[in-house]
Amino acid sequence: MKSGLEDVVAAETVLSDVDGKNGRLIVRGVSLDDLVTSSRYEDVLELLFDGFFPMRGSVQPALGAARQEVFAHVAQTDPALVALPPVEGMRALLARLDDGDDLAAALRLVAAPSVFTTALLRLKAGLSPIAPDAGLPHAADVLRMMTGTMPSMQQVSALDRYLVTVADHGLNASTFAARVVASTQAGLTSSVLAALSALKGPLHGGAPGPVLDMLDAAATPADAPAWLESALANGERLMGFGHRVYRVRDPRADALKGAVRVLAGSGAIDPARLALAEAVEAAALDLLKRKKPDRPLDTNVEFYTALLLEALGFSREAFTCVFAMGRVGGWIAHAREQALDGRLIRPMSVYVGPMPQVAA
Ligand code: ACO
């Protein structure tokens, strides 16, 4: 057995392929590079759900209706729930949705992270939640529900690109958690709750907040190399770098870097912030190459996620929730694929504890 189940194959999937050697991600036959230029989040949902649910026509109106349906649960939010970190408050609200296995249950679960997160962020700020507009594309409505104003085209397309980029990624920790629960036939809400709990950890979906903390601490491009060197010497991991599967650059990092550059061009990102990020990235890559020569460590998806979500106005503590807004589509498709397989996931462990004393 290998610690962390590294290289262990635990599922067959038609959903996505993570090619760690060549830095390539394929989602149902489409490479990420093509997907981000040609698709909105709704298109990727149709791609992922095809064959797992009876899909008739465009998913956009049904997803809009699901946002409205889910919004009714926001009325049950109490102050203790608002006081929780957003990902925990969102998870608590999501747990109130019925378990189910049909398309209606799936779309409620896709809608839930967006509707609950934006409502909780407003409640935390002392503002009233804004009801969804079922007629809008998903990414546009997410930003409108958060700010109360219609976002620009560049903002909508940046969020869409992010949601598409993170929608599915092989058998990552949260997707595996979703599949384990699905194999018990517990239902989609239970699968998504398990996945969300796995996503929350800093080694998985909790990294982009700490990426910004790192940029703040590094302070200036000139100070960055010394700060990074001392962090690494203190045994810290540099957030936004390294990956279990990719041995080269994570292709999602470039997909998001492109969106960040477009946002910077429209004035939504301070050029000094982007320059600092690029300097930190270059210094970190140089340092990791020198200090960890045996382990190729490159930029992962979380590094430019941090800049993109910051520019769109999400607070750091909400970043994992936004990751869930995108990844939930992949969790649901994987849960359906696993449930249809029909076999319980039940691996073995090797007992290494003491044996009972045998009387002499
Ligand atoms: N900074 C410094 N050193 C690192 C980093 C990093 N970011 N990542 C790995 N290493 C080092 C480890 O210290 C270890 O070195 P050692 O052999 O000298 O002890 C070696 O690389 C191997 O590390 P593992 O923990 O075995 O790598 P693993 O594949 O388990 O970890 C992970 C992958 C968790 C992503 C890791 O690279 C990490 O902690 N990165 C920082 C957090 C992060 O960015 N997470 C987001 C990942 S992307 C996603 O989940 C969406």
Side-chain angles (χ1 to χ4, degrees), residues 72-145:
H73 291 266
V74 168
Q76 299 164 11
T77 310
D78 56 66
L81 210 139
V82 175
L84 290 172
V87 68
E88 291 175 25
M90 186 262 275
R91 184 176 58 184
L93 282 172
L94 199 144
R96 294 175 179 170
L97 299 181
D98 288 345
D99 245 324
D101 288 303
D102 59 5
L103 180 61
L107 291 178
R108 280 195 296 273
L109 286 164
V110 172
S114 300
V115 171
F116 294 154
T117 301
T118 50
L120 286 168
L121 293 178
R122 290 186 68 84
L123 287 167
K124 269 180 182 296
L127 302 166
S128 300
I130 292 175
D133 177 341
L136 285 178
H138 191 63
D141 207 23
V142 170
L143 293 170
R144 191 195 62 91
M145 286 189 287

Side-chain angles (χ1 to χ4, degrees), residues 75-345:
Q76 299 164 11
T77 310
D78 56 66
L81 210 139
V82 175
L84 290 172
V87 68
E88 291 175 25
M90 186 262 275
R91 184 176 58 184
L93 282 172
L94 199 144
R96 294 175 179 170
L97 299 181
D98 288 345
D99 245 324
D101 288 303
D102 59 5
L103 180 61
L107 291 178
R108 280 195 296 273
L109 286 164
V110 172
S114 300
V115 171
F116 294 154
T117 301
T118 50
L120 286 168
L121 293 178
R122 290 186 68 84
L123 287 167
K124 269 180 182 296
L127 302 166
S128 300
I130 292 175
D133 177 341
L136 285 178
H138 191 63
D141 207 23
V142 170
L143 293 170
R144 191 195 62 91
M145 286 189 287
M146 183 171 71
T147 63
T149 54
M150 274 306 287
S152 69
M153 258 171 56
Q154 288 93 339
Q155 289 170 320
V156 174
S157 104
L159 182 59
D160 240 334
R161 180 175 274 231
Y162 173 73
L163 298 176
V164 167
T165 298
V166 302
D168 197 41
H169 201 240
L171 204 57
N172 58 86
S174 56
T175 299
F176 185 47
R179 290 190 77 122
V180 170
V181 173
S183 82
T184 72
Q185 308 284 340
L188 289 173
T189 300
S190 299
S191 280
V192 168
L193 281 169
L196 185 57
S197 301
L199 185 76
K200 179 178 167 250
L203 297 190
H204 188 9
V211 166
L212 290 186
D213 298 340
M214 182 174 75
L215 293 187
D216 291 346
T220 68
D223 293 337
W227 185 89
L228 292 166
E229 184 127 19
S230 124
L232 204 62
N234 288 334
E236 286 176 37
R237 289 190 174 208
L238 306 183
M239 289 292 152
F241 298 92
H243 196 271
R244 172 60 63 80
V245 182
Y246 292 119
R247 289 292 164 264
V248 291
R249 198 174 167 84
D250 181 340
R252 300 169 300 172
D254 285 329
L256 297 183
K257 191 171 185 176
V260 162
R261 288 216 164 115
V262 172
L263 280 176
S266 74
I269 296 182
D270 177 4
R273 188 80 169 148
L274 183 56
L276 172 63
E278 289 181 337
V280 166
E281 184 189 16
L285 291 176
D286 175 59
L287 184 66
L288 289 168
K289 212 170 177 176
R290 285 189 285 112
K291 302 284 180 184
K292 305 269 176 190
D294 301 331
R295 175 84 177 186
L297 293 166
D298 216 316
T299 314
N300 68 42
V301 64
E302 304 287 39
F303 193 80
Y304 284 101
T305 290
L307 283 191
L308 187 141
L309 298 187
E310 181 181 55
L312 291 177
F314 290 99
S315 59
R316 295 177 193 200
E317 55 166 9
F319 285 0
T320 311
C321 299
V322 192
F323 194 161
M325 291 178 198
R327 181 57 58 84
V328 67
W331 291 335
I332 291 168
H334 276 270
R336 286 291 292 162
E337 188 178 49
Q338 187 65 50
L340 292 172
D341 169 78
R343 199 96 208 282
L344 177 74
I345 294 180

Side-chain angles (χ1 to χ4, degrees), residues 65-77:
R67 285 196 301 276
Q68 287 185 324
E69 202 183 324
V70 160
F71 185 72
H73 291 266
V74 168
Q76 299 164 11
T77 310

Side-chain angles (χ1 to χ4, degrees), residues 5 8 16-17 32 38 51 119 183 221 231 251 284 290 316 345:
L5 300 184
V8 172
S16 58
D17 181 45
L32 177 69
S38 63
S183 82
R290 285 189 285 112
R316 295 177 193 200
I345 294 180

